[in-house]
Amino acid sequence: MSSDEAFFASNPLQNAGGRSPASRLLQHNDGSCDPAFASCEPVPFDAVAERPEFPSASTNPCKLCTPLGACLAFRGIAGAVPLLHGSQGCSTYIRRYLISHFREPVDIASTNFSEDTAVFGGRKNLHVALDNIGRQYRPALIGIATTCLSETMGENMPMLIGEYGAEARDLPAAVDRPALVYVSTPSFKGTHADGFHAAVRALVETLAEAGRKSEVGGQKSEGEGRRSEIEDRKTEIPPRRVALMPNMVSPADLRHLRDLCSEWGTGVTLVPDYSETLDGPSWADFERTPAGGTTVAELRALGGAPAAIELGHVLARTEHTAGTHLKSKFHVSLHRIGLPIGVRACDEFSAAMEAATGREMPRRIALERGRLVDSYVDAHKYLAGKKAVVYGEEDLVAGLAVFLAETGVTPVLCASGGRTKHLADAIFGAAPELRGRAEVREGSDFGDIEARAAELKPDLLIGSSKGYKLARSLGIPLVRCGFPVHDRLGAQRIRLLGYAGTQELFDRIVNAVLETKQEDSEIGYAYL
Amino acid sequence: MKTTMASEGSPDLSIQPSTLKPSGIEILPSRVASIAEAGKPGKGVNCGKTSVAGSVSQRACVFCGSRVVLYPIADALHIVHGPIGCAAYTWDIRGAQSSGPQLFRNAFSTDLQELDVIYGGEKKLERALLELIARHSPKAAFVYGTCIVGLIGDDVNAICKSVAAATGIPVLPVASEGFKGTKKDGYKAACEAVFKLIGTGDTAGISPFSINLLGDFNIAGETWVIRDYFARMGVEVVATITGDGRIDAIRRCHGAKLNLVQCSGSMTHLAKKMQAAHGIPFKRVSFFGIEDMSAALYEVAKHFGSDELMEKARAVVRDEVGKIYPQLRAWREDLKGRKAAIYVGGAFKAFSLVRALRTLGMRTALVGTQTGDAEDYNTLREMCDPGTIVVDDSNPIELAKFCLEQDVDLFIGGVKERPIAYKLGIGFCDHNHERKECLAGFVGMLNFAREVHASVCSPVWNFVPRRSRCRSLLAGDSEANASKLAPASGLKPTEAVA
Ligand code: SF4
Ligand code: SF4
C-alpha cells in the first residue's frame, strides 16, 4: 500500500473503499474513460460480476413472477381480461401487487385449479373460465397466461384453446366471442419483464394482419379508446399508425409517448397502452373493463404499420420480439433503441421518429431537449462524483445507467433480478464510458445488492420502493421509479421518458442530492 | 332537499342519491346459491367450495393462509420453496410488528429454476436452509411448499428432518401447495406446524391466571394493546400466536390455563388440538369494537371465577371507554344512518364489524367473507338488518353491483377491494393484514371510527361523478349528470378531520 493509500484508508471521511480518487483513476484509465467524467470516482472492482447461475437461496427478490408482466401487458388492450391458468393464489397475489402500485382495479381471472385439476388437467376449468369471463365481462379479448403449476403439468394450451373455439358454447347470444391470445409464462424461466415482452409478442403474433401500405398519419382522437370494442370492430380498420412497443413504463410515460408522436405528426399504436386503463378517472358509470387501451382492431392493423419502434436496450438484443415479428412477417421497418432516458437515448428516439415520419424535430421537442441540456449544466457540480445504485427490470436499469453517465453520476452498481445475459452489453454498448466503473449484476436480489452497496457506499438509490429498506439503513435518498412503488402516491404518473420525462427525473435526482446535503449540514442554508 | 343534517363543518353528502346504476350486471348462475339476504327465508349460503373457474375471486390460496398465520413469528426463518412469485408477493407487506427480531420481514425463497423443476429441488432446498440458518441463526425455520413442489415430488419432510438434525433447530414443513384446498387448509397446515413446537418448552413459573392469545397478529401493535389490558387485570399472557411471536414462548405456551381464540377461522384448529393434547380449554373472542373487546375481558375473568379479576376488568373497560367515548359520540353524529359494505377474510371479524358499525350509528348493507362457513352465514343473516346482502367468496363485479344497489357510503375490506370502492366514489376502511393502523381494543375502536369518519365525511366525494355534485366531463357520461352540476360555491368548507 502506498503512503497515499494508507492515508486515505485511515481517513474516515474518504469512503471510496479507502482508495484515493486519483490513484483509482490511473488504474482504470484504459482509454474508455472520457475525460469529461474524470470527476466521477471510479469504484474498486474490475469487470462484470455475475452471481452464480443457481444460488441456492434468494433473499428479497429483485424481480417478480412472469405472469405478472403478461397481465400488465394484457391490461393495456381495450376490453381485455387476463386469465391465469393455474391455481387461485397466483392471480390474487398478482392483482394485489398491481393494485397497490396503480391504485386502480385490476381484475385478473383464474382457472382456479383444485387437486383434481392438477391430476386430470385443466381443460374443463379453462373452458368454464372462458365462458364465465365472457358472461360477466363481455371482453373483447381474453389474454391467457400460464403459471408455474400448469407449465409443470405440461398443459397443452394451444390444443385446449383450439378445442374451446371448436365447441359450441353455452353463452347468451349477446356475448360476442372474444379474441383469445395465449402466452406461456413459467416463472421458473424468466421474470415479470420477460412475461411482459412475451405477452406483447403474443398479442402481435396472434392478431397482426397484413394491411394496405399508406401514408403515415391517423392520429387517435381524444377518448377514442373509450368506445367499446364491439363498436370498434364494426368500424373500419383505423388508419396506419407507427407501431410503438414502449416496454414496461408508467401510464404517464405512455401518454407522453403518444404526445410525442403527435408532435411528430403521426398517430401511434402502443402495444400495450394502459395509460388510461391503469390510470383512469373516477367512474361515471360502472365499467366492466376499464375504458381505454389499444383495440383489437388496432392490433390487427399492425401488419400495415409504416414503421415499428421498440424501446429497451436489452429488448433490442432479444432474438424474438413483437418488433422482429412485424419486421420479418410484414416487412415493417424496425427501430430498436433504448428507453429514451437522457439526451443520447432521446436523440436516438428522435432519429427513429425522423426516419419514420420524414419530419424534422418539432420546435417544442427541440426546446425540451435544450432545457434538459441546460439543466445538466446548471446541476453538474452538485452531481459530480456522486455514486448511484440502480436496480429493477433490466431495461430500466440500462436506461437509467446510460442516462446517469451523462450527468456525472456513476451508476456504481446496476442490478437486476433478470438473467437475459444482455444487461452488461446493453449498458456498455450505449455508454462505453461506464466500462470499468459500473458493476453489472444479473440474477441479483436485495440480499446481494445490500452486500455490494455496503462496499460501494453509494450516495443514492434509484429504483422501486423495494429498495427503501436499504436506503434507510444506508441513510441515503431513494429516487423512486419503475415498478413497484408501493409507498408513495402517483406511481402511475412518474415520468422518465423523452427529454421532458428525463427532465422530471433529473430534477428529482438533483434535488434529492441537494436535500441530503442541506439536511446533513449543521448550518442549514436556505440558499444553495 | 336535505334530509339529514350533517354536523357543523362536515360536508353534507348524505342527500345525493347515487346516479350510478348497476344495470345489467349478471350474477353467474353458479354463484347464485352463495348469495342470500338477511330477513328473507331461504337455503343457507353455499360456501366452503373452491372458487368458480373464471371468476375473479378475492381469495388467495392455501399458501397464503399458512403464510398469513405464521408470518409474524419474528425470530423464525420463513423460506418459500418454489418459484419466486409466491415469496416475492408476500415480502414485508403486512403490518405485523415485532418488538425484537426483524428476520421475518425478509423474503427467502429457493427461487426454483427450470432445471430444478426437471431434476427436483431437494438439494437446493437443503443448501438454502443450511446457508440461511448459518447466516441468520433463527430459532426455528418454516418451509412452505408451494404449488409445483407438490407436483415435482420433492420430499420436503425428509429435508426438514435432516436439516433439523444438522442444525439443532426445529425445521418445520408447512404443506401449503396452493391448489390443495382453500385458504382455510393453509390455516390448518400452519396450525399443524405450530403445534409441533408446543409442549417442547419449560412451563415453570407460569401464573394460574394465564392465557394464550391465538389469532392476533400484532398488526400495528395490536397485540401490545391487548396484552396491556390483561396485564392490568393481572392475567399473564404466555404466548401470542402469532403476533410479535417468539419460538420460545410458543414452545412453553401449553403451560397457560386458557386459550383465547380471536381469529377463529384460522386458529380454532390449533385450540382444539391443544385442548385434546394439553387439556387447555378455549374461548372464541374478538378484540374489535367496544362490545366484543369488553366481552373478551369479562369472559376471561369469568373463566377464572375471580371477583378480583372481574373488578379489574370492569375498571379497565370503564377507563378505556371513558377515554374514547366523547370523541366517538361526536363522530357518530356525522355517521348516523350511513350504510356500509363489509368484505373480509373471516366471519368473526365480520360479526365484530357489524357491531362496531352499529356503535357508530351505521347500518351494514352488504357483508361477505372469503372463508365463512354455513353457521357463520346463518349468524350474519340473523344479526344484520333485513335487506342486508350476505355473500360467500365474492368477486369485484358482484361487489360493485351490490355496493351500487345498496348505495353504500363505506366499504370495509382489503387492498383488493379498495379500488372498487374508490372508483365508485365510496369511502373505504382497510381492515386487512396489510393495514398499518391499530384497530383492536378500545383505542382501536377510536382509530376505526377515525378512519371511517375521515373517509365517509371527506369533501372529495363532492367531486366524484357518482354523487353528481360535479359532472364528469368525459364523453359518454349521462345527460342527467351534466344538468345536475353543482356550482363550486355550493360546497361547504370542511374542517380538517381529526
Ligand atoms: S407459482 Fe409461479 S406464477 Fe404462481 S405466484 Fe408462484 S411464481 Fe408466480
Ligand atoms: S403458486 Fe400456488 S402457492 Fe404460490 S401463490 Fe400460486 S397458488 Fe399460491
Side-chain angles (χ1 to χ4, degrees):
Chain A
M1 195 185 268
S2 74
S3 62
D4 236 2
E5 283 180 72
F7 169 76
F8 281 109
S10 63
N11 182 349
L13 296 176
Q14 262 300 336
N15 61 5
R19 306 297 192 88
S20 121
S23 71
R24 294 301 304 168
L25 191 65
L26 283 175
Q27 277 183 21
H28 280 278
N29 209 344
D30 57 2
S32 66
C33 186
D34 188 320
F37 293 86
S39 63
C40 313
E41 205 171 276
V43 285
F45 54 79
D46 294 316
V48 179
E50 222 207 302
R51 291 188 92 204
E53 177 121 17
F54 297 106
S56 37
S58 154
T59 299
N60 301 335
C62 185
K63 62 176 176 181
L64 293 155
C65 75
T66 322
L68 179 139
C71 291
L72 180 57
F74 289 137
R75 273 333 264 176
I77 307 305
V81 176
L83 168 64
L84 294 189
H85 193 48
S87 48
Q88 182 119 68
C90 315
S91 79
T92 306
Y93 275 133
I94 289 171
R95 286 177 61 209
R96 202 210 40 222
Y97 217 81
L98 289 167
I99 287 171
S100 312
H101 175 85
F102 290 103
R103 297 173 190 261
E104 292 283 320
V106 182
D107 287 9
I108 297 168
S110 164
T111 52
N112 292 344
F113 277 31
S114 64
E115 271 198 275
D116 285 354
T117 331
V119 176
F120 300 113
R123 179 178 184 280
K124 176 150 175 263
N125 281 50
L126 179 69
H127 293 183
V128 171
L130 289 170
D131 278 354
N132 280 339
I133 296 169
R135 239 180 242 281
Q136 278 211 302
Y137 286 90
R138 313 272 161 87
L141 181 146
I142 300 178
I144 306 164
T146 50
T147 61
C148 301
L149 180 61
S150 48
E151 285 286 342
T152 308
M153 287 166 57
E155 291 274 281
N156 184 342
M157 298 302 289
M159 185 185 87
L160 298 182
I161 294 168
E163 285 170 3
Y164 179 79
E167 283 168 19
R169 308 309 312 172
D170 157 38
L171 280 181
V175 179
D176 267 20
R177 205 175 260 264
L180 301 181
V181 173
Y182 150 70
V183 59
S184 159
T185 46
S187 276
F188 45 77
K189 265 197 272 185
T191 67
H192 59 300
D194 300 313
F196 182 90
H197 299 312
V200 171
R201 182 178 147 207
L203 284 163
V204 171
E205 279 184 356
T206 312
L207 295 170
E209 294 164 358
R212 306 154 279 149
K213 293 268 174 196
S214 68
E215 285 304 295
V216 175
Q219 292 182 35
K220 192 165 175 169
S221 64
E222 265 308 313
E224 190 181 323
R226 297 182 65 82
R227 280 195 324 223
S228 84
E229 167 58 20
I230 292 162
E231 239 173 80
D232 209 294
R233 252 187 277 170
K234 285 171 191 152
T235 61
E236 65 188 274
I237 291 185
R240 285 154 29 82
R241 297 165 176 158
V242 169
L244 178 52
M245 273 62 77
N247 213 316
M248 241 186 97
V249 301
S250 77
D253 270 334
L254 292 174
R255 289 192 286 270
H256 185 51
L257 286 171
R258 180 192 306 294
D259 281 354
L260 284 178
C261 290
S262 98
E263 266 316 299
W264 285 91
T266 177
V268 61
T269 298
L270 288 160
V271 194
D273 178 7
Y274 42 80
S275 61
E276 210 178 320
T277 55
L278 288 176
D279 192 15
S282 242
W283 287 345
D285 207 344
F286 177 75
E287 295 180 9
R288 275 174 217 276
T289 55
T294 296
T295 63
V296 171
E298 286 171 309
L299 290 171
R300 289 198 205 282
L302 282 175
I309 302 174
E310 205 160 50
L311 303 182
H313 293 288
V314 171
L315 190 63
R317 291 161 193 271
T318 308
E319 207 180 334
H320 297 294
T321 63
T324 60
H325 177 78
L326 289 177
K327 182 177 175 180
S328 63
K329 181 144 185 213
F330 305 108
H331 311 290
V332 176
S333 83
L334 174 63
H335 305 267
R336 307 182 90 186
I337 54 181
L339 280 177
I341 309 176
V343 174
R344 286 177 291 185
C346 289
D347 284 352
E348 273 196 55
F349 181 75
S350 299
M353 291 306 290
E354 230 174 275
T357 64
R359 299 189 194 200
E360 281 187 7
M361 185 187 288
R363 179 174 151 75
R364 196 195 103 188
I365 297 176
L367 278 172
E368 285 173 356
R369 183 184 192 281
R371 283 186 204 107
L372 179 61
V373 173
D374 191 57
S375 68
Y376 276 13
V377 173
D378 289 340
H380 74 282
K381 282 201 280 186
Y382 301 132
L383 298 185
K386 295 292 181 224
K387 294 180 290 182
V389 167
V390 295
Y391 55 86
E393 296 90 35
E394 286 136 305
D395 268 322
L396 176 72
V397 168
L400 290 173
V402 173
F403 150 67
L404 287 173
E406 294 177 352
T407 67
V409 176
T410 308
V412 287
L413 175 62
C414 305
S416 174
R419 288 181 188 278
T420 56
K421 303 208 164 69
H422 298 311
L423 183 56
D425 291 348
I427 292 174
F428 299 134
E433 71 273 21
L434 287 177
R435 255 181 228 285
R437 315 165 148 267
E439 177 175 341
V440 178
R441 291 176 85 79
E442 289 200 354
S444 185
D445 59 29
F446 282 94
D448 184 48
I449 294 172
E450 239 174 277
R452 292 304 301 137
E455 283 179 44
L456 295 168
K457 305 211 175 357
D459 299 289
L460 74 160
L461 298 186
I462 307 179
S464 73
S465 61
K466 285 296 178 188
Y468 174 67
K469 191 177 148 227
L470 176 59
R472 188 179 161 114
S473 74
L474 294 175
I476 60 174
L478 163 63
V479 176
R480 289 169 177 77
C481 61
F483 180 86
V485 176
H486 280 166
D487 63 349
R488 286 291 183 276
L489 190 73
Q492 325 89 305
R493 294 180 287 275
I494 295 176
R495 293 207 300 176
L496 310 174
L497 303 192
Y499 305 108
T502 306
Q503 184 76 70
E504 288 181 11
L505 173 66
F506 182 70
D507 291 349
R508 286 170 63 213
I509 291 173
V510 175
N511 288 333
V513 168
L514 288 179
E515 193 176 328
T516 312
K517 190 174 171 187
Q518 193 172 36
E519 305 241 305
D520 290 352
S521 105
E522 270 176 30
I523 310 169
Y525 290 111
Y527 182 89
L528 294 174
Chain B
M1 195 180 138
K2 220 186 276 181
T3 54
T4 310
M5 187 64 201
S7 79
E8 191 50 16
S10 290
D12 161 28
L13 300 165
S14 52
I15 37 82
Q16 297 294 328
S18 168
T19 55
L20 277 183
K21 290 288 174 270
S23 50
I25 303 180
E26 197 187 335
I27 302 290
L28 292 174
S30 42
R31 290 271 317 137
V32 172
S34 297
I35 302 161
E37 205 180 305
K40 271 203 185 148
K43 280 200 273 177
V45 173
N46 191 14
C47 57
K49 304 267 161 55
T50 51
S51 305
V52 173
S55 80
V56 180
S57 168
Q58 305 293 84
R59 278 180 182 168
C61 58
V62 180
F63 164 70
C64 175
S66 298
R67 188 89 172 97
V68 122
V69 165
L70 297 175
Y71 175 84
I73 302 179
D75 54 358
L77 179 87
H78 301 265
I79 180 165
V80 183
H81 185 36
I84 200 67
C86 327
Y89 299 129
T90 51
W91 173 24
D92 200 21
I93 50 159
R94 285 175 77 208
Q97 294 185 9
S98 161
S99 53
Q102 302 293 327
L103 183 60
F104 71 121
R105 290 177 58 197
N106 292 294
F108 300 112
S109 164
T110 47
D111 188 8
L112 292 182
Q113 299 295 309
E114 193 171 19
L115 288 179
D116 303 319
V117 173
I118 298 170
Y119 299 113
E122 290 178 8
K123 283 269 154 324
K124 192 174 196 181
L125 174 62
E126 183 168 20
R127 275 202 312 274
L129 276 167
L130 291 172
E131 274 171 32
L132 291 170
I133 291 170
R135 194 178 311 153
H136 299 286
S137 327
K139 294 269 187 183
F142 293 99
V143 181
Y144 305 80
T146 61
C147 280
I148 68 168
V149 172
L151 232 66
I152 61 180
D154 280 1
D155 189 347
V156 176
N157 291 353
I159 300 292
C160 288
K161 247 189 222 143
S162 82
V163 174
T167 58
I169 63 165
V171 180
L172 303 161
V174 186
S176 53
E177 288 89 344
F179 61 91
K180 291 191 176 166
T182 65
K183 197 170 169 186
K184 271 190 193 167
D185 298 285
Y187 294 151
K188 219 164 145 186
C191 290
E192 295 289 338
V194 168
F195 184 71
K196 288 190 194 136
L197 290 168
I198 295 172
T200 59
D202 179 13
T203 58
I206 292 177
S207 149
F209 295 153
S210 55
I211 58 173
N212 296 312
L213 304 177
L214 269 51
D216 183 286
F217 302 107
N218 201 27
I219 310 293
E222 288 174 348
T223 299
W224 301 325
V225 169
I226 308 299
R227 276 176 172 254
D228 170 60
Y229 299 153
F230 285 112
R232 281 151 65 184
M233 280 171 63
V235 173
E236 179 186 350
V237 177
V238 181
T240 314
I241 302 176
T242 56
D244 196 11
R246 296 291 185 281
I247 295 296
D248 286 344
I250 295 172
R251 281 167 170 263
R252 68 193 289 263
C253 76
H254 57 294
K257 303 294 177 282
L258 173 68
N259 278 331
L260 282 194
V261 183
Q262 125 96 5
C263 176
S264 63
S266 66
M267 282 290 175
T268 308
H269 183 70
L270 181 64
K272 284 186 177 158
K273 291 198 72 144
M274 286 177 75
Q275 186 169 38
H278 303 286
I280 307 173
F282 70 90
K283 295 207 174 305
R284 291 207 209 182
V285 296
S286 164
F287 302 143
F288 297 117
I290 294 181
E291 281 174 69
D292 288 9
M293 184 65 238
S294 314
L297 299 181
Y298 297 146
E299 190 77 39
V300 172
K302 224 171 20 193
H303 174 82
F304 289 116
S306 153
D307 292 344
E308 195 196 332
L309 281 191
M310 186 55 91
E311 225 2 88
K312 285 185 179 159
R314 287 208 185 95
V316 170
V317 172
R318 209 175 323 124
D319 279 6
E320 294 292 323
V321 173
K323 272 192 258 174
I324 65 172
Y325 198 66
Q327 183 61 69
L328 281 185
R329 211 166 53 184
W331 282 333
R332 188 189 153 97
E333 275 310 302
D334 296 342
L335 295 170
K336 234 172 13 198
R338 303 301 185 101
K339 284 177 283 180
I342 300 171
Y343 191 76
V344 290
F348 249 61
K349 197 195 277 178
F351 302 158
S352 294
L353 286 170
V354 171
R355 283 192 280 263
L357 286 167
R358 270 192 193 133
T359 307
L360 298 178
M362 295 178 70
R363 186 175 92 79
T364 303
L366 159 66
V367 56
T369 80
Q370 292 171 20
T371 57
D373 62 24
E375 198 184 315
D376 296 334
Y377 288 116
N378 286 338
T379 310
L380 280 171
R381 284 168 81 170
E382 276 160 30
M383 73 187 289
C384 292
D385 295 319
T388 300
I389 303 285
V390 179
V391 58
D392 176 65
D393 185 23
S394 197
N395 57 56
I397 286 203
E398 285 175 13
L399 291 173
K401 174 188 166 79
F402 297 135
C403 281
L404 293 175
E405 280 175 359
Q406 302 279 330
D407 196 14
V408 299
D409 306 285
L410 174 74
F411 198 113
I412 304 178
V415 174
K416 293 188 298 287
E417 289 82 29
R418 186 179 59 202
I420 305 172
Y422 283 176
K423 280 290 164 192
L424 296 172
I426 295 169
F428 181 77
C429 171
D430 189 350
H431 214 300
N432 210 334
H433 286 278
E434 289 117 16
R435 77 190 136 86
K436 307 291 183 282
E437 205 57 62
C438 162
L439 299 180
F442 300 102
V443 64
M445 180 65 198
L446 188 70
N447 294 338
F448 173 68
R450 178 185 296 117
E451 285 259 295
V452 169
H453 187 267
S455 193
V456 171
C457 298
S458 167
V460 298
W461 309 124
N462 285 308
F463 302 94
V464 299
R466 174 165 176 261
R467 291 299 182 200
S468 316
R469 289 295 184 99
C470 181
R471 156 176 69 130
S472 165
L473 300 174
L474 293 166
D477 296 347
S478 74
E479 283 294 310
N481 276 358
S483 62
K484 276 195 205 156
L485 175 62
S489 60
L491 302 182
K492 285 188 183 177
T494 316
E495 81 189 339
V497 175

